[in-house]
Amino acid sequence: MLRSLGRIAYRSYVVVLIGSVALTAMLTLVRPATTAIHTAAFAAQVLPGPVKVQPWLAPEPERVKTTYRRDDGTDAEADIYVIPDDKQRAGLLIFLGANAAGADDPDVINLGQALARAGFAVMYYWSPTMGERAEVDVGEIPNIVAGFEHLQRQEYVDRQRVGLAGFSVGASFALAAAADPRIADDIAFVNAFGGYHDAADLLAQIAAGRAVEGGAETPWEVDKLTRRVFENMLTPEADSEAAQGLLAGVGSVAEARELYEQLPDAFRADVDAISPSKYVEQWSGDTVMRVMHDRGDPLIPVGESRRLVAALQEQRPDVATYYTETDIFRHVRPDAETDWQSMLRGAWQLYRHMYHIVAVARQP
């Protein structure tokens, strides 16, 4: 009985989602119906549900292995998901961040294929230090730039329509890379999902076990992975009393900030280099910023994305900025245990967020 009700609920979710898309397409003349359909199909593909319509709309993408030279002079391999035809299409470079799922993770493959079917040539950027060892490596920012330039050079990519996307720490690194003058004017959009605004302030919140929202502190049970990345960052400075104090934990964010200011200048300079807060004035006015965060994110508090968006609105009113909050993800992965009403609401939020991204890929 319960299983039958679950199937009915999910079918209702799919029917209502597609019906909403059809209604939106009819009522909004400036939104091509094909973009609406492909956006809805993308949402259905990446979220839990019984019906996957994307294979009916587009052929199977190829997973192409590619090699390129990183900024640090080493060779790197990457996967590009692309539909094999003679068309030029929009490009999208994705960085999954620290302790990321691997290239053969089912969700990674599904996302690459779903974006390719939506119209992108999708390249994953892999970091050996961050992805495999949960370390934060400031040297990866110029390497992301090199990956972006490599994707631009592919014959099937329209270099005027290439975006950057990042998840978790990868979102903040993508934002930092977007300020690099070698590519800043070439980035159509950045999609930052679940990232942080200021790395120093995030470290202080982790040390205190308290999140900052609207100037107030609230208790935060820091996730084990977040704690691991935090410890990996501070371990090289463990000889200093300030680092020892932060690693031991403090009673308030203010106390953590005071200790942070006592850390070596070189360490704090590296932390600044991975903080989107330091790059707001350097982003191109032609790059669309799309920010997304789950309200219950246990790894990086939602207040970080809220502060990022507030900084953009205050400092860069010339930059088109869109913000979406959901409650259907477990950090950056869809939560299969979400009840169907919340999933339906979240699917609509994801649709609205992704519509203008998919529109870049659906341009003729």
Side-chain angles (χ1 to χ4, degrees):
M1 177 67 174
L2 291 175
R3 190 171 297 173
S4 297
L5 287 174
R7 287 197 295 266
I8 293 170
Y10 267 120
R11 285 171 185 156
S12 299
Y13 142 66
V14 173
V15 169
V16 173
L17 175 61
I18 294 176
S20 300
V21 170
L23 180 62
T24 302
M26 287 188 293
L27 296 179
T28 314
L29 296 178
V30 297
R31 296 184 177 183
T34 54
T35 299
I37 292 169
H38 279 280
T39 305
F42 169 83
Q45 187 68 31
V46 300
L47 294 178
V51 179
K52 307 296 183 183
V53 300
Q54 267 201 326
W56 307 340
L57 301 176
E60 182 81 12
E62 284 187 354
R63 180 178 173 181
V64 180
K65 295 290 185 180
T66 185
T67 303
Y68 66 99
R69 183 61 57 90
R70 290 160 38 115
D71 188 79
D72 61 13
T74 62
D75 289 331
E77 292 186 350
D79 297 317
I80 298 179
Y81 290 83
V82 62
I83 291 176
D85 55 25
D86 295 329
K87 297 179 181 178
Q88 273 203 328
R89 57 194 67 245
L92 180 59
L93 181 71
I94 298 177
F95 182 34
L96 297 177
N99 199 47
D104 296 321
D105 180 271
D107 286 343
V108 171
I109 294 172
N110 184 50
L111 177 62
Q113 291 179 335
L115 287 165
R117 282 193 164 112
F120 286 101
V122 183
M123 175 175 161
Y124 281 108
Y125 174 80
W126 301 111
S127 166
T129 52
M130 295 179 63
E132 298 173 11
R133 300 197 292 270
E135 296 178 357
V136 174
D137 184 356
V138 65
E140 292 295 2
I141 295 173
N143 290 332
I144 294 170
V145 173
F148 184 91
E149 292 178 317
H150 176 73
L151 180 60
Q152 278 186 307
R153 289 192 293 268
Q154 304 309 301
E155 60 182 10
Y156 45 79
V157 171
D158 178 357
R159 61 181 300 116
Q160 303 302 317
R161 294 185 292 144
V162 184
L164 267 173
F167 292 74
S168 188
V169 172
S172 299
F173 270 64
L175 287 164
D180 191 294
R182 290 173 290 180
I183 63 171
D185 292 334
D186 296 336
I187 302 172
F189 64 87
V190 177
N191 190 48
F193 185 10
Y196 58 82
H197 174 51
D198 188 277
D201 213 42
L202 180 60
L203 289 177
Q205 292 173 77
I206 295 169
R210 303 182 69 80
V212 176
E213 182 62 52
E217 298 182 18
T218 58
W220 170 28
E221 186 176 348
V222 181
D223 185 87
K224 291 180 179 179
L225 175 57
T226 302
R227 176 71 63 182
R228 178 184 170 195
V229 174
F230 168 75
E231 292 174 351
N232 286 345
M233 287 184 67
L234 284 173
T235 296
E237 311 299 328
D239 289 341
S240 72
E241 292 185 8
Q244 292 171 12
L246 290 169
L247 287 166
V250 295
S252 70
V253 174
E255 183 181 351
R257 287 169 176 162
E258 290 180 3
L259 285 173
Y260 175 81
E261 292 300 323
Q262 299 172 29
L263 292 170
D265 291 345
F267 177 85
R268 289 186 288 115
D270 283 348
V271 171
D272 283 349
I274 61 171
S275 297
S277 61
K278 307 302 179 184
Y279 296 101
V280 177
E281 299 294 342
Q282 300 174 44
W283 292 322
S284 169
D286 295 326
T287 298
V288 178
M289 295 294 181
R290 304 197 72 88
V291 183
M292 189 173 178
H293 214 115
D294 197 77
R295 296 184 190 93
D297 190 338
L299 275 77
I300 298 178
V302 66
E304 290 299 306
S305 283
R306 291 173 181 170
R307 281 188 284 278
L308 169 62
V309 172
L312 274 161
Q313 292 172 339
E314 179 180 350
Q315 299 173 236
R316 295 298 305 277
D318 59 310
V319 174
T321 304
Y322 301 89
Y323 181 50
T324 300
E325 284 187 11
T326 73
D327 54 9
I328 62 170
F329 290 88
R330 185 168 294 174
H331 189 39
V332 294
R333 286 182 185 255
D335 187 351
E337 298 180 3
T338 303
D339 64 88
W340 74 267
Q341 296 99 329
S342 297
M343 185 63 72
L344 177 59
R345 182 173 58 252
W348 175 244
Q349 293 166 335
L350 179 63
Y351 166 81
R352 290 194 303 171
H353 183 87
M354 289 298 300
Y355 178 88
H356 293 284
I357 293 175
V358 174
V360 174
R362 304 313 303 178
Q363 291 177 15

